[in-house]
Amino acid sequence: MNQKQKIASAALALALATAVVAPTHAAGKEKCYGIAQAGQNDCGNLAGTHSCAGQSTVDNDPGEWKLVAKGSCESVGGMLKAEAKKRYKEAQEAKAKA
């Protein structure tokens, strides 16, 4: 096996291991909107202005989310996706009227 094949094999093994572990890691978790601190969100926001973790710019933005233990979101002051979408839509409508 040459060097390129070894690197490709290692990269494939890492990708497969990540694919197997990721769903297990998220088991028992849910997206909780409105609790992420600036730069601490877990992934893309409701507005679609970014698609990566760590790109939120303000604390507690209702469109940004973090994974939390299932059933604990509202008790830590957050919102589930349906409520966050509703508030986001209301905010967009209010902006359009202004």
Side-chain angles (χ1 to χ4, degrees):
M1 196 181 264
N2 68 31
Q3 189 67 14
K4 286 184 181 181
Q5 289 174 320
K6 287 180 185 178
I7 293 171
S9 294
L12 179 60
L14 180 61
L16 290 174
T18 302
V20 171
V21 173
T24 304
H25 177 69
K29 304 257 183 183
E30 63 189 356
K31 290 180 181 180
C32 187
Y33 291 81
I35 64 166
Q37 299 302 300
Q40 300 295 314
N41 63 301
D42 281 338
C43 205
N45 62 3
L46 286 177
T49 56
H50 68 79
S51 61
C52 295
Q55 293 189 340
S56 61
T57 57
V58 296
D59 291 348
N60 304 318
D61 183 330
E64 302 288 354
W65 60 271
K66 293 205 53 87
L67 282 178
V68 297
K70 195 168 188 91
S72 69
C73 179
E74 292 168 329
S75 67
V76 296
M79 304 170 277
L80 298 176
K81 190 171 188 174
E83 179 65 21
K85 280 181 134 179
K86 179 182 169 190
R87 288 195 187 180
Y88 177 74
K89 183 179 176 185
E90 289 169 354
Q92 292 302 97
E93 290 171 354
K95 241 187 223 183
K97 289 180 183 179

